[in-house]
Amino acid sequence: MSKLNILRYPDPRLHKVAKPVTVFDARLAKLVEDMAETMYDAPGIGLAATQVDVHERVVIVDISETKDQLTAFINPEVVWASEDKHVYEEGCLSVPGIYDGVERPSRVKVRAQDVKGEFFEIEADELLAVCIQHEMDHLQGKVFVEYLSPLKRNRIKTKLQKEERAMGKEYGPRAMGGRR
């Protein structure tokens, strides 16, 4: 296993839409293993392949205290969502140190495949439902801060860009050799 690099907001690669997985092989299994190592090390409770610059529909989740209940969701889709919604305080490994309330359906039913390609369904509520929906947003190129007001989003973006510059990293036109 090897730890992967987690992209940080506002990296434009976080906005790429992931493609469906069509081949269920050793490469996919290794990706899931590497994502798990990365997520547990971060530490986090969910990770989408988009966050590690792999633009395939792969999500992993483990909300257990013991970190031994990892579930991989390949090509996940919400097949049902409750009408009742709840605001949950969310954070993200790609937006370190930032937490804010996001309103989402309280319960969902998700259909996905496992690493061998076998289909399964899961009904989730509370933290598990939030985590799955949050990670599935990444597959659509959406980061949770996009649910926030433009003012909050811009403040977060500015703060994280300053941190990146301080660490010697930069994204955007200047990083690509262009002008701002």
Side-chain angles (χ1 to χ4, degrees):
M1 293 195 301
S2 58
K3 209 172 109 181
L4 305 169
N5 181 46
I6 298 173
L7 300 177
R8 284 176 53 122
Y9 180 81
D11 190 312
R13 294 173 289 182
L14 287 168
H15 299 293
K16 287 186 178 179
V17 175
K19 294 185 175 4
V21 172
T22 56
V23 178
F24 295 81
D25 60 4
R27 183 202 63 83
L28 177 64
K30 173 133 177 43
L31 173 63
V32 168
E33 284 179 17
D34 291 347
M35 286 175 61
E37 180 180 347
T38 303
M39 178 187 74
Y40 289 133
D41 185 65
I45 60 170
L47 188 67
T50 301
Q51 292 176 270
V52 294
D53 203 20
V54 175
H55 303 283
E56 297 177 35
R57 296 188 55 77
V58 178
V59 163
I60 60 167
V61 172
D62 185 350
I63 63 166
S64 71
E65 293 288 326
T66 52
K67 303 299 178 204
D68 62 355
Q69 295 177 27
L70 183 76
T71 303
F73 297 85
I74 315 300
N75 301 321
E77 60 180 308
V78 173
V79 294
W80 175 84
S82 65
E83 289 184 24
D84 57 308
K85 297 182 186 261
H86 188 80
V87 175
Y88 294 92
E89 187 83 1
E90 294 188 26
C92 181
L93 296 177
S94 291
V95 192
I98 305 295
Y99 300 88
D100 212 319
V102 174
E103 184 178 63
R104 297 187 186 273
S106 300
R107 297 177 321 234
V108 292
K109 181 187 274 189
V110 176
R111 184 170 197 252
Q113 292 168 277
D114 62 19
V115 293
K116 294 178 181 168
E118 299 294 320
F119 283 93
F120 69 95
E121 283 190 1
I122 183 171
E123 287 192 39
D125 61 4
E126 299 179 358
L127 180 59
L128 182 57
V130 170
C131 188
I132 292 170
Q133 292 173 83
H134 174 109
E135 300 309 332
M136 286 180 65
D137 275 353
H138 281 296
L139 302 179
Q140 296 302 320
K142 188 169 187 175
V143 181
F144 92 96
V145 297
E146 293 172 46
Y147 287 98
L148 308 178
S149 72
L151 178 64
K152 278 187 181 180
R153 196 169 46 247
N154 285 334
R155 285 183 178 163
I156 291 166
K157 185 176 182 178
T158 300
K159 177 181 190 265
L160 293 177
Q161 285 174 325
K162 284 180 182 175
E163 289 175 9
E164 290 294 318
R165 281 193 292 276
M167 294 184 332
K169 298 178 184 175
E170 191 169 342
Y171 303 110
R174 195 178 303 160
M176 307 298 180
R179 287 194 232 164
R180 288 191 188 210

